[in-house]
Amino acid sequence: MSKVKIFLEERDMPRAWYNIQADMPNLPQPPLHPGTKKPVGPDDLSPIFPMGLIQQEVTTERWIEIPDEVMEIYKIWRPSPLYRARRLEKALDTPAKIYYKYEGVSPAGSHKLNTSVPQVYYNKVEGIKRIATETGAGQWGVALSQACNFFGLECTVYMVKVSYHQKPYRRTMMETFGAEVFASPSEQTSTGRQILKEDPESLGSLGMAISEAVEDAAGRDDTNYALGSVLNHVILHQTVIGLEAKKQLEMVDLYPDVVIACCGGGSNFGGAAFPFAYDKIKKGSKVRLLAVEPSACPTLTRGHFGYDFGDVAGFTPLLWMYTLGKDFMPPGIHAGGLRYHGDSPLVSQIVHDGIAEARAYGQTAVFQSAILFAKTEGTIPAPESSHAIHGAVEEALAAREAGEARTILFNLSGHGLLDLPSYETYLDKKLVDYPLPEESLKKALANLPQI
Ligand SMILES: *Cc1c(COP(=O)(O)O)cnc(C)c1O
């Protein structure tokens, strides 16, 4: 009987993050200034990001050493465990071996603390006293407020108003760590006041909250802005997931045939998959890398590959990525973390070049697999992570069909204990799918910026 839990020792934790920019056959086109449409330079970004992170955004060095202060905090929950899902395998009657890396053991309950800790660290080193950010469902706000608390920085979070009222417990978590949380649109910024003047009942959106947080950070010397996904430095920090998982599988003499993760802005997918993409690019490994997204927000599978803005207001640089158009309003699916119109430029390029592949699923199928996983393995998964579970279930069933003993690795990016209202909706049979009609897609893509 093989092992169910595979633990690394602290001393075997990776000492450096892996930067795929060193090895990609094609780098993404550079980000462009929203006004001049010229490539952005460090000076354009320095009002809201520290130099340490701006350098990580553009470097082509392969390994970036993890600072000791960051390692010390990582050790609170890292190395995270790798589990073999034996009871799930049995329920699926599959010859495949299913392993999952579990990032829900972090005190934030998700992988996002892997990047909030180094982001706050590099800000602290450069004398920043306060960080402003946005959050949708609240996972990023929680992770950033914990990291700010560890390093003694103030934290201000603009939380999309509808979530502020629907997800009160994530707000309480942020406030427990000392963060100040405003429902966005708020009276704190001129963007917020303007939106409220036009529509006092506005429920807010991620695009609006980004605009408020950027305005706050740009207006104060002691304050910077932080983003929880999409950017190159965020993906870089998340590679601890894949680096650890690779070592853990080596401990049982295995190498995956397929690596699966859900994809919103791309950070947990890039983090889990890029260390394996290295093997694929440099060593001819045949491993498949599978990004799973919701069919209601099918950025990688049906989006346009080219330049688009990161936010609704058009404040951010133009990014080279798969996009549904910045005006795309995704339906209110329960995987709040997968509702972004764009995607990481690094992940987009890797998918475009055929090094990784993408698949989209509807949320009712995803919740069926989430319930099966909860019943067999005992953990209630986040709705976002459940997309990866559904991908793994499909792979395991395909292995049964083909009579093949595949090794499947997926990343369980977080637990779902603060997402129980979504489970309630499913159990009450009120959950519906929102496949995106071709018409709406065409409409959303009609307004792409002309470059
Ligand atoms: C935010 C979040 C995601 C989606 O973000 P990525 O950057 O695509 O990883 C996925 N899972 C969980 C649990 C999250 O909190």
Side-chain angles (χ1 to χ4, degrees):
M1 183 103 158
S2 61
K3 280 187 172 177
V4 169
K5 299 190 283 302
I6 304 164
F7 287 115
L8 277 183
E9 298 288 340
E10 270 178 22
R11 62 169 184 274
D12 295 325
M13 281 169 70
R15 301 291 320 188
W17 294 297
Y18 169 59
N19 177 22
I20 199 165
Q21 293 188 82
D23 298 308
M24 292 169 81
N26 302 298
L27 285 171
Q29 300 292 315
L32 303 182
H33 189 281
T36 64
K37 310 270 158 70
K38 296 252 168 20
V40 294
D43 291 347
D44 295 313
L45 300 174
S46 60
I48 57 168
F49 291 112
M51 266 310 158
L53 294 177
I54 294 172
Q55 277 160 8
Q56 290 182 356
E57 201 55 25
V58 295
T59 180
T60 51
E61 227 173 282
R62 182 174 293 125
W63 298 103
I64 309 292
E65 200 182 322
I66 305 174
D68 289 342
E69 292 87 336
V70 172
M71 280 303 272
E72 279 315 304
I73 296 179
Y74 272 180
K75 283 179 188 167
I76 295 174
W77 75 98
R78 306 212 71 82
S80 67
L82 181 80
Y83 290 98
R84 179 157 177 196
R86 294 197 70 100
R87 295 171 57 86
L88 177 63
E89 288 170 14
K90 207 161 164 215
L92 296 170
D93 187 25
T94 178
K97 297 187 176 80
I98 306 176
Y99 285 86
Y100 64 97
K101 181 74 168 157
Y102 187 36
E103 293 296 311
V105 295
S106 98
S110 79
H111 66 292
K112 290 196 171 73
L113 204 59
N114 295 332
T115 184
S116 66
V117 169
Q119 287 194 44
V120 175
Y121 166 77
Y122 288 106
N123 275 288
K124 183 187 168 86
V125 167
E126 293 181 32
I128 291 296
K129 302 279 183 255
R130 177 173 169 271
I131 299 190
T133 198
E134 74 288 332
T135 196
Q139 285 113 325
W140 171 241
V142 167
L144 190 71
S145 64
Q146 287 179 327
C148 281
N149 169 65
F150 285 140
F151 286 110
L153 271 71
E154 289 173 47
C155 183
T156 295
V157 182
Y158 294 89
M159 184 171 188
V160 177
K161 191 177 279 171
V162 57
S163 309
Y164 183 90
H165 295 299
Q166 271 177 3
K167 311 242 171 192
Y169 297 126
R170 285 232 173 75
R171 172 170 32 114
T172 306
M173 276 183 87
M174 292 181 246
E175 288 170 349
T176 300
F177 296 105
E180 181 180 38
V181 186
F182 296 110
S184 166
S186 75
E187 293 288 345
Q188 302 299 309
T189 65
S190 59
T191 312
R193 287 189 294 271
Q194 185 62 35
I195 295 166
L196 287 173
K197 212 169 97 189
E198 284 162 24
D199 178 10
E201 305 300 314
S202 171
L203 294 176
S205 74
L206 207 53
M208 291 175 190
I210 294 179
S211 302
E212 285 206 276
V214 171
E215 181 188 322
D216 179 324
R220 279 177 62 165
D221 279 349
D222 67 348
T223 302
N224 267 345
Y225 167 74
L227 194 65
S229 187
V230 179
L231 299 180
N232 302 351
H233 66 267
V234 182
I235 315 276
L236 174 79
H237 302 152
Q238 294 294 354
T239 58
V240 289
I241 301 172
L243 292 168
E244 283 182 10
K246 208 189 222 184
K247 280 196 187 175
Q248 285 162 309
L249 280 178
E250 272 167 22
M251 288 166 68
V252 286
D253 293 321
L254 286 174
Y255 188 84
D257 294 296
V258 59
V259 178
I260 306 170
C262 68
C263 193
S267 73
N268 92 93
F269 174 73
F274 284 179
F276 295 95
Y278 171 82
D279 297 341
K280 220 170 162 171
I281 299 166
K282 304 296 278 189
K283 303 186 192 161
S285 148
K286 295 271 183 283
V287 60
R288 287 165 50 227
L289 309 173
L290 176 61
V292 183
E293 59 186 14
S295 56
C297 189
T299 317
L300 294 171
T301 48
R302 292 171 69 194
H304 168 80
F305 187 58
Y307 277 115
D308 196 10
F309 291 102
D311 68 330
V312 176
F315 285 173
T316 69
L318 291 149
L319 297 178
W320 182 255
M321 61 185 178
Y322 279 102
T323 177
L324 297 168
K326 70 174 173 39
D327 302 317
F328 176 71
M329 266 308 263
I333 53 167
H334 289 274
L338 305 184
R339 292 178 69 230
Y340 188 56
H341 70 273
D343 220 308
S344 143
L346 294 178
V347 168
S348 296
Q349 188 71 48
I350 287 288
V351 168
H352 186 74
D353 288 344
I355 297 165
E357 57 196 283
R359 220 179 269 166
Y361 299 122
Q363 64 177 356
T364 50
V366 164
F367 268 85
Q368 270 162 22
S369 289
I371 301 269
L372 175 65
F373 183 81
K375 284 183 164 174
T376 50
E377 297 298 317
T379 296
I380 295 187
E384 291 86 358
S385 321
S386 304
H387 287 71
I389 296 174
H390 190 61
V393 166
E394 291 236 312
E395 286 291 326
L397 293 176
R400 181 175 78 187
E401 204 66 20
E404 276 175 26
R406 297 180 197 172
T407 299
I408 299 168
L409 168 65
F410 75 87
N411 186 44
L412 191 64
S413 52
H415 68 66
L417 293 180
L418 291 180
D419 302 292
L420 294 181
S422 303
Y423 279 86
E424 199 178 329
T425 308
Y426 175 83
L427 295 170
D428 289 348
K429 303 198 173 20
K430 290 186 186 140
L431 200 75
V432 292
D433 285 327
Y434 301 95
L436 178 61
E438 195 57 33
E439 271 313 294
S440 327
L441 183 64
K442 276 212 189 100
K443 216 169 117 198
L445 288 176
N447 275 339
L448 285 176
Q450 300 300 316
I451 308 292

